[in-house]
Amino acid sequence: MTYPAPLARLIQELSKLPGIGEKSAARLAFHLLKGNLDDVASLADSIGKLREQIGLCPQCFGFSELVAQNGDPPLCSVCRNLQREQDKICVVEEPGDLIAVEKSQEFKGLYHVLHGTISPLDGIGPDALRIKELLERLRHGSIREVIVATNPTMDGEATALYLSKVIKPLGVVVTRIARGMPMGGDLEYIDVVTLGKALEGRREI
Amino acid sequence: MRACLATPAIVLRAKPYGESDRIVSFLTEMHGKITGIAKGAKRSRKRFVNSLEPFSLVNLRFYERPQGDLVFILSSDLLFSFPKLVTSLDRISFASYLVEITDGLVGEGQEDRLVFQHLKNGLRYLNETDASLRFLTSFELKLLNLVGYQPVLDRCKRCAKDRRDHPSSRWHFSPRDGGILCEPCSRLRKETLPLGAAAVEVLTDLQAKDSSTPARRSLPSSVVSEIRSVVMRFIQYHMEREIKSAPFLYRFASI
């Protein structure tokens, strides 16, 4: 049996989402069909407005609401918040990484999102990232420390090394997030690279 | 039942696929170059942890699927990560270049243990020693030799004029012909690169010797420039595409 046209269209659209196959898409579509009409309308409204109202913050390039706040440029809530430490910037690869660091509630400074990493094998150089904008911020601001929180991959390390090379001459301290044992981990089951990094980065207690 | 295959392998490249999978290319010791899908690789804490990063030497377990070109990767255990390769932009650039040209010159499934050993030795050398132009060119020439594209440097590839009989002649390199051409023969070809007698001499020397042999003398920059231009163009000709990591060598590595 074939699905009625509107249902088939929704299943087709949902199955384009990451991690959603056709079966999952059909299950979600049936759920929406049986659900409360107001909830469905609210979901449709949220999806419709998502791209209209969310853009990139012109300062940190994280996600930001595009509606200007009190006539100010549409900076994101982090950049607008003057209570945060204005002399520290945490550099991350993608907007999702900013949200992950923010959830830790350990960092109270500002952010800068690069939108990618340097990748020699893919031919992605520093010019393809938001590094120029970061350097502009450092030249015109009062930043004293840049914390590089790129992933511990080959590309992430290449990006961190490059940032260190271009930022240090500006007199700004460059630090790298630590690598090692996860909380609740078990030494016996930790891979050798992670364990090696944990020992390398040990500190006095 | 499908047979599980196991082999030492070097990770050439890995890219995300879907939510948590990765498509990974390996140069294996026993099955040549293979590309496969590592299901759940992004979240895996057992089967793939820290072992799908480029340059890693791993023990790979996989099976071939009846349909499609991709093998199914069961697990990848790290044997050696060449940790110093990611400690400087210089080393990352060199290692990326070695991996990319090997990937580009070797076809899928062509078993060749010597190519595997060559790349492994190259990465090990870079991990332990500062790279040089001599090392790089020697690696390239030996790789070209191993994959069957050894350039002819002792005589004109078209008329067979012996180079030793004309030591001061100006030569040209033709990527299409796969060797040097004398002045008259080079006029018959459109895409040739100039190659002075000194540069041909150095290339011949490097072709014959091991990269660890110390250089006899430092080379003038014009000779270095000719050598780099010829070797890279020849490799690109056979790869049939640009070498993406090449600009990084000039930007970050001291060659």
Side-chain angles (χ1 to χ4, degrees):
Chain A
M1 185 193 148
T2 53
Y3 296 117
L7 188 58
R9 192 173 147 229
L10 179 61
I11 291 170
Q12 196 188 359
E13 293 300 324
L14 287 171
S15 59
K16 290 178 187 169
L17 297 172
I20 308 282
E22 200 183 321
K23 276 187 183 174
S24 302
R27 201 160 51 241
L28 289 170
F30 281 122
H31 175 79
L32 293 171
L33 200 58
K34 285 191 276 183
N36 183 305
L37 193 60
D38 289 343
D39 290 345
V40 176
S42 171
L43 176 66
D45 186 53
S46 303
I47 293 171
K49 286 180 178 161
L50 185 68
R51 296 298 296 267
E52 283 171 27
Q53 296 183 350
I54 299 285
L56 294 182
C57 170
Q59 184 166 288
C60 74
F61 300 98
F63 289 136
S64 171
E65 283 188 55
L66 289 175
V67 183
Q69 307 284 325
N70 306 323
D72 293 333
L75 292 176
C76 68
S77 57
V78 173
C79 290
R80 276 201 314 270
N81 186 352
L82 297 175
Q83 302 300 311
R84 297 186 72 106
E85 294 174 34
Q86 302 291 312
D87 61 348
K88 290 187 182 70
I89 288 184
C90 178
V91 178
V92 293
E93 293 177 15
E94 299 293 345
D97 300 332
L98 184 159
I99 292 163
V101 176
E102 197 58 7
K103 275 184 183 170
S104 74
Q105 298 187 5
E106 285 294 322
F107 181 67
K108 307 293 182 197
L110 305 173
Y111 290 93
H112 192 89
V113 184
L114 297 174
H115 289 269
T117 48
I118 292 172
S119 176
L121 286 170
D122 294 316
I124 301 172
D127 305 336
L129 310 176
R130 301 278 190 181
I131 292 177
K132 197 173 68 181
E133 291 87 345
L134 172 64
L135 297 178
E136 279 301 304
R137 282 180 80 180
L138 299 179
R139 283 192 192 102
H140 298 113
S142 53
I143 305 298
R144 286 163 41 172
E145 182 183 0
V146 169
I147 302 159
V148 183
T150 51
N151 288 320
T153 58
M154 192 266 279
D155 292 345
E157 291 301 319
T159 310
L161 289 164
Y162 180 77
L163 289 176
S164 166
K165 186 181 160 187
V166 292
I167 293 173
K168 276 184 180 169
L170 303 176
V172 177
V173 174
V174 183
T175 56
R176 183 88 170 101
I177 52 166
R179 284 157 290 184
M181 292 285 293
M183 287 300 289
D186 190 326
L187 273 181
E188 195 183 346
Y189 296 104
I190 297 296
D191 68 285
V192 289
V193 176
T194 306
L195 194 51
K197 290 288 177 192
L199 285 167
E200 195 182 290
R202 69 189 184 278
R203 62 181 182 192
E204 195 176 336
I205 48 173
Chain B
M1 183 165 165
R2 285 167 289 198
C4 167
L5 304 167
T7 173
I10 293 167
V11 181
L12 299 174
R13 56 172 65 234
K15 59 180 180 183
Y17 183 76
E19 188 90 328
S20 62
D21 304 341
R22 276 186 171 185
I23 304 275
V24 193
S25 290
F26 299 89
L27 184 68
T28 72
E29 185 171 31
M30 283 135 85
H31 305 278
K33 188 172 88 176
I34 58 168
T35 301
I37 185 157
K39 287 272 184 189
K42 217 169 173 182
R43 296 183 185 135
S44 167
R45 300 211 174 277
K46 280 185 181 172
R47 294 177 302 137
F48 302 116
V49 65
N50 277 332
S51 64
L52 296 180
E53 278 297 299
F55 321 146
S56 301
L57 176 66
V58 299
N59 192 22
L60 177 70
R61 289 175 65 242
F62 68 99
Y63 64 73
E64 285 164 340
R65 302 195 303 177
Q67 300 106 11
D69 298 330
L70 297 178
V71 303
F72 189 89
I73 303 167
L74 293 165
S75 67
S76 165
D77 298 319
L78 188 69
L79 296 174
F80 191 58
S81 67
F82 300 106
K84 287 186 183 164
L85 293 184
V86 290
T87 56
S88 76
L89 284 168
D90 184 272
R91 284 189 162 134
I92 290 174
S93 303
F94 270 110
S96 299
Y97 182 82
L98 302 195
V99 161
E100 187 182 358
I101 62 170
T102 307
D103 186 12
L105 292 173
V106 176
E108 291 268 337
Q110 293 173 4
E111 184 197 334
D112 195 330
R113 290 181 187 212
L114 293 177
V115 174
F116 174 83
Q117 281 302 331
H118 183 54
L119 180 59
K120 191 170 124 183
N121 291 343
L123 293 176
R124 183 178 289 146
Y125 181 89
L126 273 181
N127 191 58
E128 292 163 0
T129 321
D130 286 335
S132 62
L133 171 74
R134 186 176 176 80
F135 159 77
L136 182 70
T137 313
S138 182
F139 180 93
E140 291 168 319
L141 291 172
K142 188 169 179 189
L143 178 65
L144 285 165
N145 183 16
L146 289 172
V147 296
Y149 298 134
Q150 182 174 18
V152 172
L153 299 168
D154 60 343
R155 63 187 184 281
C156 172
K157 190 77 194 322
R158 282 179 67 88
C159 71
K161 183 195 283 178
D162 197 314
R163 187 170 60 82
R164 282 161 298 187
D165 298 337
H166 305 82
S168 58
S169 294
R170 186 84 196 154
W171 295 85
H172 296 260
F173 188 86
S174 165
R176 187 174 157 191
D177 291 289
I180 54 170
L181 300 180
C182 63
E183 194 75 52
C185 289
S186 73
R187 290 191 207 112
L188 303 170
R189 282 271 182 256
K190 277 182 186 168
E191 292 177 3
T192 62
L193 299 156
L195 197 60
V200 188
E201 196 65 48
V202 172
L203 283 174
T204 310
D205 193 41
L206 285 172
Q207 214 173 33
K209 288 176 183 166
D210 190 68
S211 62
S212 55
T213 313
R216 282 181 300 185
R217 61 192 187 280
S218 60
L219 301 170
S221 60
S222 59
V223 173
V224 171
S225 169
E226 279 184 352
I227 289 172
R228 291 309 314 142
S229 172
V230 160
V231 177
M232 214 177 269
R233 280 279 288 279
F234 190 44
I235 291 171
Q236 279 178 353
Y237 177 81
H238 286 293
M239 285 173 65
E240 297 178 351
R241 61 177 168 85
E242 292 284 303
I243 306 171
K244 290 177 179 171
S245 55
F248 291 81
L249 272 184
Y250 294 109
R251 187 163 181 178
F252 299 126
S254 46
I255 64 163

